[in-house]
Amino acid sequence: MAERRARTAAWVFASYALAILGAIGVQVLLTRTQTVDVVGRLAVAIAVAAVFEATVSARGSETALTLFAQRALDSPTPPPALTRELLAVDALWHGGATVLFLAAVPGWALLTRANADLLVPLGLAVVAQCAWGVCKSLQTVYSPIERQAQTELMVNAVGYLLQGGAILTWGAWGYAYGALAAGAWKSAVALVILAPQLRGAGSAPLFAETSRAEYVRLGGFGLVRSFATYFAAQVDLLLLALSVWTAAADAVKDSPEAESPLPTLEIPATQEECLRADR
């Protein structure tokens, strides 16, 4: 028993250690290979996307965790019909939330007067990993902790390798492409793990296992809690990134190399300024 506990603790420690070291490694790679203004722009996009991802994903995973825990009292194995329904609900939720997020990207760009195109692949990365929350919740309730740690270790290792390679190939855009690839990799692994549990799930209509009102209640609690938690954690990073980005942009704009020989005109302008610009 003591040996098994030690082995489980070692796998859990290795999983968390890789997650921390991998995240640090990706950030170091970005700062070593990209300019300050590029890193600042990317940091703003990462902070915004992180709040969106944590809020959306937590709603699905916390709902699945609660429902699996309730059913575990009656059955030692995951209910196939409930697993299938949770996957379908999560896919619809992630897809709808991502559409709204992408629709808001132009508004964010106008509000911040910045190029927010990096938010598009980062937003798509969220819907790409829609199956991961159900898989993680199922393993938490029905599988040994050691197996869950091994799965996360493998998924994170491949995900960070994908991001690192993409950064070396495409720079800042590589981070976003790598996040999208890592999200798709998570869903692929989740579907492989969940495939045996879906046998015999049938084709019951949606919300046959759990009512729509229950999904709204459980999801609403997770949504509000996760948004408040992650927004509070990211707001300082967002403000810092905006400050660095703005300072770098101002430094480049005010440099002699950035000066244009052509006359400039700012609006609103007086008639005298218009005549001076024409000369």
Side-chain angles (χ1 to χ4, degrees):
M1 182 65 69
E3 181 181 354
R4 182 178 179 182
R5 289 179 178 175
R7 187 172 62 250
T8 300
W11 278 110
V12 172
F13 176 80
S15 176
Y16 278 103
L18 178 66
I20 295 172
L21 294 176
I24 294 174
V26 168
Q27 300 302 324
V28 170
L29 184 61
L30 279 172
T31 55
R32 292 292 185 180
T33 59
Q34 305 300 310
T35 58
V36 175
D37 59 321
V38 172
V39 173
R41 182 165 71 95
L42 180 59
V44 174
I46 292 174
V48 174
V51 175
F52 171 68
E53 177 185 355
T55 303
V56 172
S57 299
R59 188 225 67 88
S61 59
E62 290 190 10
T63 300
L65 184 63
T66 302
L67 293 177
F68 278 140
Q70 291 175 352
R71 299 296 180 90
L73 298 175
D74 303 324
S75 173
T77 58
L82 177 62
T83 305
R84 172 186 169 274
E85 183 174 281
L86 286 170
L87 282 173
V89 171
D90 259 21
L92 292 173
W93 163 250
H94 280 77
T98 302
V99 168
L100 294 177
F101 178 78
L102 295 180
V105 168
W108 171 261
L110 291 175
L111 179 65
T112 59
R113 298 181 181 180
N115 189 355
D117 48 3
L118 283 169
L119 289 174
V120 175
L122 290 175
L124 292 174
V126 176
V127 70
Q129 59 179 322
C130 62
W132 178 246
V134 176
C135 175
K136 188 173 180 179
S137 298
L138 183 143
Q139 286 195 318
T140 301
V141 176
Y142 292 100
S143 300
I145 299 177
E146 180 179 346
R147 186 180 305 171
Q148 181 183 357
Q150 292 171 348
T151 303
E152 292 188 356
L153 183 67
M154 181 265 294
V155 168
N156 288 333
V158 175
Y160 286 130
L161 287 176
L162 289 173
Q163 278 198 308
I167 291 171
L168 292 175
T169 305
W170 296 293
W173 277 97
Y175 179 93
Y177 295 149
L180 180 57
W185 163 247
K186 282 184 175 181
S187 281
V189 173
L191 291 176
V192 170
I193 294 175
L194 293 174
Q197 313 299 335
L198 295 175
R199 295 171 184 169
S203 57
L206 205 60
F207 307 117
E209 292 293 317
T210 304
S211 67
R212 189 193 305 266
E214 185 68 4
Y215 277 113
V216 172
R217 185 182 70 85
L218 294 175
F221 287 146
L223 190 71
V224 173
R225 186 195 65 79
S226 299
F227 175 79
T229 301
Y230 282 92
F231 181 77
Q234 296 291 337
V235 66
D236 55 343
L237 175 61
L238 181 61
L239 294 175
L240 176 61
L242 285 171
S243 301
V244 173
W245 184 13
T246 304
D250 290 343
V252 172
K253 180 182 65 176
D254 296 336
S255 63
E257 292 81 1
E259 293 183 0
S260 173
L262 300 176
T264 59
L265 179 64
E266 294 183 357
I267 303 297
T270 62
Q271 292 181 354
E272 180 182 357
E273 289 174 333
C274 293
L275 292 174
R276 189 182 299 117
D278 290 339
R279 295 175 186 175

mmCIF file of all heavy atoms in Angstrom, residues 24 45 60-61 70 77 91 103 134 160 180 208 211 216 220 269 274:
data_model
loop_
_atom_site.group_PDB
_atom_site.id
_atom_site.type_symbol
_atom_site.label_atom_id
_atom_site.label_comp_id
_atom_site.label_asym_id
_atom_site.label_seq_id
_atom_site.Cartn_x
_atom_site.Cartn_y
_atom_site.Cartn_z
ATOM 1 N N ILE A 24 6.560 27.543 -18.365
ATOM 2 C CA ILE A 24 7.702 28.452 -18.244
ATOM 3 C C ILE A 24 8.579 28.370 -19.491
ATOM 4 O O ILE A 24 9.045 29.398 -20.020
ATOM 5 C CB ILE A 24 8.521 28.122 -16.984
ATOM 6 C CG1 ILE A 24 7.696 28.410 -15.727
ATOM 7 C CG2 ILE A 24 9.824 28.912 -16.952
ATOM 8 C CD1 ILE A 24 8.372 27.989 -14.436
ATOM 9 N N ALA A 45 -3.336 39.048 -25.929
ATOM 10 C CA ALA A 45 -4.227 38.035 -26.508
ATOM 11 C C ALA A 45 -4.307 36.794 -25.623
ATOM 12 O O ALA A 45 -5.387 36.218 -25.441
ATOM 13 C CB ALA A 45 -3.728 37.658 -27.906
ATOM 14 N N GLY A 60 -18.200 23.171 -18.484
ATOM 15 C CA GLY A 60 -18.446 21.809 -18.915
ATOM 16 C C GLY A 60 -17.845 20.775 -17.983
ATOM 17 O O GLY A 60 -18.502 19.785 -17.623
ATOM 18 N N SER A 61 -16.591 20.983 -17.575
ATOM 19 C CA SER A 61 -15.922 19.974 -16.743
ATOM 20 C C SER A 61 -16.539 19.888 -15.352
ATOM 21 O O SER A 61 -16.686 18.784 -14.807
ATOM 22 C CB SER A 61 -14.427 20.307 -16.636
ATOM 23 O OG SER A 61 -14.229 21.586 -16.072
ATOM 24 N N GLN A 70 -22.532 11.998 -8.858
ATOM 25 C CA GLN A 70 -23.855 11.572 -8.411
ATOM 26 C C GLN A 70 -24.180 10.156 -8.883
ATOM 27 O O GLN A 70 -24.712 9.342 -8.123
ATOM 28 C CB GLN A 70 -24.908 12.557 -8.940
ATOM 29 C CG GLN A 70 -24.834 13.930 -8.301
ATOM 30 C CD GLN A 70 -25.801 14.911 -8.935
ATOM 31 O OE1 GLN A 70 -26.434 14.613 -9.954
ATOM 32 N NE2 GLN A 70 -25.922 16.096 -8.350
ATOM 33 N N THR A 77 -19.390 1.984 -12.743
ATOM 34 C CA THR A 77 -18.889 2.278 -14.084
ATOM 35 C C THR A 77 -19.616 3.496 -14.650
ATOM 36 O O THR A 77 -20.775 3.758 -14.301
ATOM 37 C CB THR A 77 -19.105 1.078 -15.024
ATOM 38 O OG1 THR A 77 -20.504 0.760 -15.065
ATOM 39 C CG2 THR A 77 -18.315 -0.130 -14.533
ATOM 40 N N ALA A 91 -19.910 19.954 -26.626
ATOM 41 C CA ALA A 91 -19.584 20.382 -27.984
ATOM 42 C C ALA A 91 -20.455 21.564 -28.406
ATOM 43 O O ALA A 91 -19.961 22.541 -28.995
ATOM 44 C CB ALA A 91 -19.764 19.207 -28.956
ATOM 45 N N ALA A 103 -17.051 36.598 -32.722
ATOM 46 C CA ALA A 103 -17.833 37.759 -33.173
ATOM 47 C C ALA A 103 -17.462 39.023 -32.415
ATOM 48 O O ALA A 103 -17.613 40.135 -32.928
ATOM 49 C CB ALA A 103 -19.324 37.461 -33.011
ATOM 50 N N VAL A 134 -14.920 16.404 -20.250
ATOM 51 C CA VAL A 134 -15.684 15.210 -19.884
ATOM 52 C C VAL A 134 -14.736 14.061 -19.554
ATOM 53 O O VAL A 134 -14.938 13.330 -18.572
ATOM 54 C CB VAL A 134 -16.630 14.814 -21.035
ATOM 55 C CG1 VAL A 134 -17.354 13.516 -20.711
ATOM 56 C CG2 VAL A 134 -17.638 15.929 -21.291
ATOM 57 N N TYR A 160 3.057 20.730 -25.296
ATOM 58 C CA TYR A 160 4.143 21.709 -25.220
ATOM 59 C C TYR A 160 5.134 21.534 -26.362
ATOM 60 O O TYR A 160 5.706 22.516 -26.856
ATOM 61 C CB TYR A 160 4.850 21.598 -23.871
ATOM 62 C CG TYR A 160 4.049 22.173 -22.730
ATOM 63 C CD1 TYR A 160 3.836 21.448 -21.555
ATOM 64 C CD2 TYR A 160 3.495 23.442 -22.827
ATOM 65 C CE1 TYR A 160 3.090 21.981 -20.521
ATOM 66 C CE2 TYR A 160 2.744 23.973 -21.789
ATOM 67 C CZ TYR A 160 2.548 23.241 -20.637
ATOM 68 O OH TYR A 160 1.803 23.760 -19.603
ATOM 69 N N LEU A 180 -3.903 25.729 -30.785
ATOM 70 C CA LEU A 180 -4.983 25.084 -31.531
ATOM 71 C C LEU A 180 -4.679 23.596 -31.746
ATOM 72 O O LEU A 180 -5.555 22.733 -31.559
ATOM 73 C CB LEU A 180 -5.163 25.789 -32.875
ATOM 74 C CG LEU A 180 -6.244 25.254 -33.813
ATOM 75 C CD1 LEU A 180 -7.601 25.243 -33.140
ATOM 76 C CD2 LEU A 180 -6.286 26.075 -35.094
ATOM 77 N N ALA A 208 -32.048 13.736 -22.217
ATOM 78 C CA ALA A 208 -32.818 12.605 -21.709
ATOM 79 C C ALA A 208 -32.270 12.128 -20.361
ATOM 80 O O ALA A 208 -33.028 11.628 -19.524
ATOM 81 C CB ALA A 208 -32.791 11.463 -22.724
ATOM 82 N N SER A 211 -31.890 17.033 -17.106
ATOM 83 C CA SER A 211 -32.749 18.077 -17.655
ATOM 84 C C SER A 211 -31.942 19.305 -18.055
ATOM 85 O O SER A 211 -30.838 19.554 -17.556
ATOM 86 C CB SER A 211 -33.815 18.475 -16.631
ATOM 87 O OG SER A 211 -33.213 19.108 -15.508
ATOM 88 N N VAL A 216 -28.278 24.094 -16.818
ATOM 89 C CA VAL A 216 -28.171 25.544 -16.650
ATOM 90 C C VAL A 216 -27.759 25.889 -15.225
ATOM 91 O O VAL A 216 -26.901 26.759 -14.999
ATOM 92 C CB VAL A 216 -29.510 26.219 -17.013
ATOM 93 C CG1 VAL A 216 -29.466 27.703 -16.654
ATOM 94 C CG2 VAL A 216 -29.811 26.041 -18.498
ATOM 95 N N GLY A 220 -24.177 27.328 -14.676
ATOM 96 C CA GLY A 220 -24.150 28.730 -14.255
ATOM 97 C C GLY A 220 -23.244 28.964 -13.066
ATOM 98 O O GLY A 220 -22.472 29.939 -13.038
ATOM 99 N N ALA A 269 -9.070 68.973 -37.460
ATOM 100 C CA ALA A 269 -8.025 69.928 -37.818
ATOM 101 C C ALA A 269 -8.663 71.250 -38.235
ATOM 102 O O ALA A 269 -9.766 71.293 -38.784
ATOM 103 C CB ALA A 269 -7.184 69.385 -38.971
ATOM 104 N N CYS A 274 -4.990 72.466 -42.355
ATOM 105 C CA CYS A 274 -5.222 71.846 -43.656
ATOM 106 C C CYS A 274 -4.381 72.530 -44.726
ATOM 107 O O CYS A 274 -3.765 71.876 -45.581
ATOM 108 C CB CYS A 274 -6.699 71.934 -44.039
ATOM 109 S SG CYS A 274 -7.789 70.953 -42.974
#
